Amino acid sequence: MTTTVETSRGVIRVSSLTKTYPGPARGLKVLDNVSVFSEQGSYIALRGVSGSGKSTLLNILGGIEVFDSGTVEVSGANLGTLLRRQRTAFRARTIGFIFQFFNLLPTLTALENVSAALEPLGKAITERREQSMAMLDAVGISHLANNFPAQMSGGEQQRVSIARAMVKRPPVILADEPTGALDHKNATQILDCLARLQQQIGTTIVVATHDPIVIGYATETWEMRDGAIEVSHS
């Protein structure tokens, strides 16, 4: 089942999206004529078995992967029309990424990791530092600003990852299994933190997950199955 909603206010608008990876015969079609929509400020849980296309869809929404056919619009940008360098600029200003294993640069402090997200936007060093410290404070770890990733717990590193994703106040956050490497207590704390910031900033969040805890935070669920998406609202 594929759900389509037509409206001009959507931050994410996907229409007739198809994506196939090379392989035997006709290849592997992971996304088959998918159409979905989401308004600004939604919290979306993206579910499906391993190999169902969750990461592929996130990569397409983030301008990392190209697709075969259809239309993908994110925050007003038509991704199918962008050149590689334009997609890079799109990601820098529009998308915040949160990963399962944090993807922090080990040679940079927490403050430097967060500040790095602002460099492509051309902000002055002082401004980057002030905004990064404020976001570290918002996720509750400003006291660890000068610590390196190896000096922090998994939960603390994920808070840095959230701060890095949120510091530029992006219209869209894409999170791939953000609680997968955390225990239940830390996962809940991370999701509480993410939901609080999402409400404050108004960011749309799409979380690819197998974690049932995430569903309780979501305003809608996108269930991926056999190349299609079924949408349900909380």
Side-chain angles (χ1 to χ4, degrees), residues 54-55 58 98-101 174-179 206-209:
K54 298 189 302 298
S55 293
L58 287 186
I98 302 174
F99 304 95
Q100 178 176 355
F101 295 108
L174 302 176
D176 198 354
E177 298 285 357
T179 61
V206 184
V207 183
T209 185

Side-chain angles (χ1 to χ4, degrees), residues 43-115:
Y43 195 130
I44 300 157
L46 180 61
R47 301 182 66 188
V49 299
S50 296
S52 61
K54 298 189 302 298
S55 293
T56 296
L57 181 59
L58 287 186
N59 287 339
I60 288 174
L61 293 176
I64 296 173
E65 288 196 44
V66 297
F67 45 94
D68 302 333
S69 61
T71 302
V72 178
E73 296 180 8
V74 179
S75 193
N78 186 338
L79 301 191
T81 67
L82 301 184
L83 301 175
R84 183 189 296 270
R85 59 180 176 78
Q86 293 172 320
R87 294 200 307 272
T88 298
F90 158 80
R91 287 193 297 274
R93 68 175 182 270
T94 306
I95 305 294
F97 292 96
I98 302 174
F99 304 95
Q100 178 176 355
F101 295 108
F102 324 131
N103 282 25
L104 301 178
L105 295 174
T107 58
L108 299 184
T109 65
L111 178 61
E112 291 166 340
N113 266 283
V114 176
S115 181

Side-chain angles (χ1 to χ4, degrees), residues 19-30 56 65-68:
K19 172 68 177 180
T20 304
Y21 289 113
R26 297 182 180 180
L28 175 63
K29 183 175 287 187
V30 292
T56 296
E65 288 196 44
V66 297
F67 45 94
D68 302 333

Side-chain angles (χ1 to χ4, degrees), residues 41-45 166 171-175 194-195 198 203-207:
S42 298
Y43 195 130
I44 300 157
M166 285 287 193
V172 177
I173 292 286
L174 302 176
L194 188 58
Q198 186 255 352
T203 295
T204 294
I205 297 179
V206 184
V207 183

Side-chain angles (χ1 to χ4, degrees), residues 3-196:
T3 300
T4 307
V5 180
E6 293 297 334
T7 177
S8 61
R9 296 183 301 154
V11 66
I12 296 174
R13 295 169 57 82
V14 175
S15 179
S16 304
L17 172 63
T18 300
K19 172 68 177 180
T20 304
Y21 289 113
R26 297 182 180 180
L28 175 63
K29 183 175 287 187
V30 292
L31 298 172
D32 186 6
N33 198 36
V34 167
S35 296
V36 287
F37 155 87
S38 186
E39 291 189 10
Q40 185 70 48
S42 298
Y43 195 130
I44 300 157
L46 180 61
R47 301 182 66 188
V49 299
S50 296
S52 61
K54 298 189 302 298
S55 293
T56 296
L57 181 59
L58 287 186
N59 287 339
I60 288 174
L61 293 176
I64 296 173
E65 288 196 44
V66 297
F67 45 94
D68 302 333
S69 61
T71 302
V72 178
E73 296 180 8
V74 179
S75 193
N78 186 338
L79 301 191
T81 67
L82 301 184
L83 301 175
R84 183 189 296 270
R85 59 180 176 78
Q86 293 172 320
R87 294 200 307 272
T88 298
F90 158 80
R91 287 193 297 274
R93 68 175 182 270
T94 306
I95 305 294
F97 292 96
I98 302 174
F99 304 95
Q100 178 176 355
F101 295 108
F102 324 131
N103 282 25
L104 301 178
L105 295 174
T107 58
L108 299 184
T109 65
L111 178 61
E112 291 166 340
N113 266 283
V114 176
S115 181
L118 296 173
E119 288 186 23
L121 303 184
K123 294 179 179 290
I125 294 176
T126 301
E127 185 179 7
R128 295 203 307 264
R129 181 181 177 85
E130 289 175 352
Q131 292 182 5
S132 298
M133 279 299 296
M135 191 54 66
L136 285 172
D137 186 56
V139 299
I141 55 169
S142 58
H143 61 291
L144 299 177
N146 294 318
N147 284 32
F148 293 95
Q151 299 171 311
M152 294 181 282
S153 69
E156 290 166 344
Q157 289 184 64
Q158 194 60 296
R159 287 173 185 263
V160 176
S161 180
I162 291 173
R164 179 183 59 189
M166 285 287 193
V167 70
K168 57 188 177 184
R169 305 178 77 87
V172 177
I173 292 286
L174 302 176
D176 198 354
E177 298 285 357
T179 61
L182 304 175
D183 59 28
H184 179 84
K185 179 180 178 181
N186 274 307
T188 301
Q189 291 176 345
I190 289 300
L191 291 171
D192 284 341
C193 179
L194 188 58
R196 184 177 67 254

